[in-house]
């Protein structure tokens, strides 16, 4: 006798919601399932695709009773979390349905901000994730000190604590190296450049405790200071703070001497050559140049016009000249030779060339250029020995006055 579909469904042990033909899963030979002949497609008819190991799993491993809709779909509902929730409950972050084995450990670490490079690439998981079980992977933190605090505290060469070194190990150590030592440490706290660009650490770090080295120049360069003779730093009492005069360029050069004014003030034109030491010293800083004008400017004095030698001008240049430039000078013509800025000649001339008509020779002067014959001759009628010439004017009128 044929039973209607409603009658069949009424006898189904799978619950009222599983409403499709029994022949989708069963065959006339019995209720046992034959996967090869099953027409039911779990992937099309449910929201959980059977892939990998799930495709061959016994249905009852997930469906504990015949009411199939009671099966859960999250991993932890079926699989025990052997990691004790240390990596979350989303198994597919690391595993797939084919195997529990994980082949992408480096990629997983990189996605979490800690790439396994250098010496970290050769470590087993349990060397960092140390727990009572090898399957707990508690988060350690991505900072070096999270794992290497004991190394930091135990470091003696140099003592990291005493030196106040940063706990960020990568400031000095490389994660690509397979040991703590490094040929190129991060030495930014004391830049190794120019004259300090040396590879032999022992030249500065003379003891096993690297933190003993001082950044003060003299701590390394006391011998250089003592043995320098051009000039003698010790005899002059120069500061042993080398940076006051020197840079870290090779051979100590170029150097500057900002305290030069303590020995000889560099003003005016001298200030303009302050950085050209050879202009005065010629490379000899032992036999120092004289501090009087004539000592450096003798050739200027001897070749000057008017002839300073013939006139007998003072060799103390500052009497007439400034340190800014040779001209204009402060030569006192009235007091030394002839009053042109006072008396009868005051205000009647405008240029030296009115009297000194011979270029570059101020020894020659011309009175007759202004004092014409007619007026001059008439003024000297009855004067015995009168002659109309330059020398006669000056001999009789040395102060420029008529009497």
């Amino acid at each position: 006798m044929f039973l209607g579909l409603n009658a069949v469904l009424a006898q189904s042990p799978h619950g009222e919601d599983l409403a499709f033909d029994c022949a989708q899963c069963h065959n006339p030979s019995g209720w046992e399932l034959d996967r090869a002949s099953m027409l039911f497609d779990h992937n099309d008819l449910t929201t959980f695709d059977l892939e990998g190991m799930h495709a061959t799993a016994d249905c009852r491993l997930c469906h504990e009773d015949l009411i199939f809709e009671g099966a859960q779909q999250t991993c932890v509902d079926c699989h025990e979390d052997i990691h004790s929730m240390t990596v979350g409950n989303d198994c597919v972050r690391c595993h797939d349905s084919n195997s529990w084995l994980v082949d992408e450990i480096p990629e997983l670490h990189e996605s979490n901000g800690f790439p396994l490079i250098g010496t970290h690439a050769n470590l087993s998981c349990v060397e960092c994730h140390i727990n009572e079980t090898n399957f707990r992977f508690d988060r350690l933190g991505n900072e070096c000190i999270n794992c290497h605090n004991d190394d930091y505290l135990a470091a003696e060469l140099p003592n990291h604590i005493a030196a106040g070194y940063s706990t960020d190990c990568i400031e000095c150590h490389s994660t690509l190296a397979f040991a703590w030592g490094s040929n190129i440490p991060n030495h930014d706290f004391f830049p190794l450049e120019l004259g300090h660009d040396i590879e032999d650490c022992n030249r500065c770090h003379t003891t096993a405790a690297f933190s003993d080295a001082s950044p003060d120049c003299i701590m390394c360069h006391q011998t250089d200071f003592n043995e320098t003779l051009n000039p003698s730093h010790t005899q002059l009492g120069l500061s042993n703070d080398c940076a006051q005069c020197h840079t870290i360029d090779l051979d100590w050069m170029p150097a500057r001497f900002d305290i030069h004014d303590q020995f000889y003030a560099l003003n005016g034109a001298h200030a303009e050559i302050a950085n050209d030491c050879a202009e005065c010293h010629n490379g000899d800083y032992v036999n120092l140049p004289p501090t009087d004008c004539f000592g450096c400017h003798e050739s200027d004095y001897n070749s000057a016009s008017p002839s300073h030698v013939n006139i007998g001008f003072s060799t103390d240049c500052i009497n007439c000249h400034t340190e800014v430039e040779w001209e204009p000078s402060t030569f006192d013509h009235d007091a030394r030779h002839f009053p042109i800025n006072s008396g009868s000649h005051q205000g009647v001339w405008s240029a030296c060339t009115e009297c000194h008509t011979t270029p570059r020779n101020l020894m020659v002067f011309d009175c007759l250029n202004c004092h014409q014959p007619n007026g001059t001759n008439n003024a000297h009628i009855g004067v015995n020995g009168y002659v109309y010439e330059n020398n006669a004017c000056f001999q009789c009128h040395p102060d420029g006055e008529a009497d």
Side-chain angles (χ1 to χ4, degrees), residues 336-351:
R336 292 175 178 272
H337 297 284
F338 186 81
I340 60 174
N341 297 309
S342 61
S344 299
H345 289 82
Q346 182 179 6
V348 299
W349 64 277
S350 59

Side-chain angles (χ1 to χ4, degrees), residues 278-314:
E279 182 74 18
C280 296
H281 293 277
N282 295 313
D284 182 359
Y285 301 96
V286 177
N287 301 305
L288 300 179
T291 56
D292 63 292
C293 307
F294 189 72
C296 286
H297 295 290
E298 182 178 358
S299 61
D300 297 308
Y301 178 91
N302 291 336
S303 61
S305 177
S307 174
H308 289 26
V309 176
N310 294 335
I311 297 175
F313 283 166
S314 169

Side-chain angles (χ1 to χ4, degrees), residues 152-153 155-167 171-172 189 205 209-213:
Y152 177 88
L153 297 177
E156 293 291 340
L157 296 175
N159 186 312
H160 287 27
I161 299 176
Y165 287 165
S166 168
T167 56
E171 288 186 8
C172 299
F189 53 89
H205 300 281
F210 280 51
S211 55
D212 288 349

Side-chain angles (χ1 to χ4, degrees), residues 65 111 163 183 186 253 260 291 361 377 394:
D65 56 35
S111 67
N183 292 328
N186 187 331
M253 300 298 289
H260 197 288
T291 56
N361 187 356
N377 291 337
F394 182 69

Side-chain angles (χ1 to χ4, degrees), residues 185-226:
N186 187 331
H187 214 281
D188 288 347
F189 53 89
F190 188 92
L192 299 179
E193 56 188 10
L194 300 177
H196 291 138
D197 186 12
I198 54 180
E199 296 181 359
D200 184 4
C201 305
N202 294 324
R203 287 183 59 184
C204 298
H205 300 281
T206 56
T207 69
F210 280 51
S211 55
D212 288 349
S214 170
D216 296 333
C217 309
I218 199 64
M219 298 305 294
C220 286
H221 298 291
Q222 182 71 60
T223 301
D224 298 310
F225 181 88
N226 294 339

Side-chain angles (χ1 to χ4, degrees), residues 30-71:
W31 293 111
E32 294 297 325
L33 298 181
D34 182 0
R35 284 183 176 273
S37 61
M38 276 181 59
L39 299 178
F40 176 76
D41 190 335
H42 199 286
N43 293 352
D44 288 340
L45 298 175
T46 73
T47 58
F48 189 90
D49 291 348
L50 297 181
E51 299 174 339
M53 297 298 292
H54 291 136
T56 58
D58 190 328
C59 303
R60 286 170 293 186
L61 290 176
C62 297
H63 302 284
E64 296 180 355
D65 56 35
L66 296 179
I67 308 299
F68 294 129
E69 64 182 12

Side-chain angles (χ1 to χ4, degrees), residues 267-270 272 297 317-318 320-330:
N267 301 317
H270 294 134
E272 296 179 4
H297 295 290
C317 309
I318 202 67
C320 299
H321 304 281
T322 69
E323 289 184 273
V324 177
E325 55 187 350
W326 290 114
E327 295 180 358
S329 68
T330 57

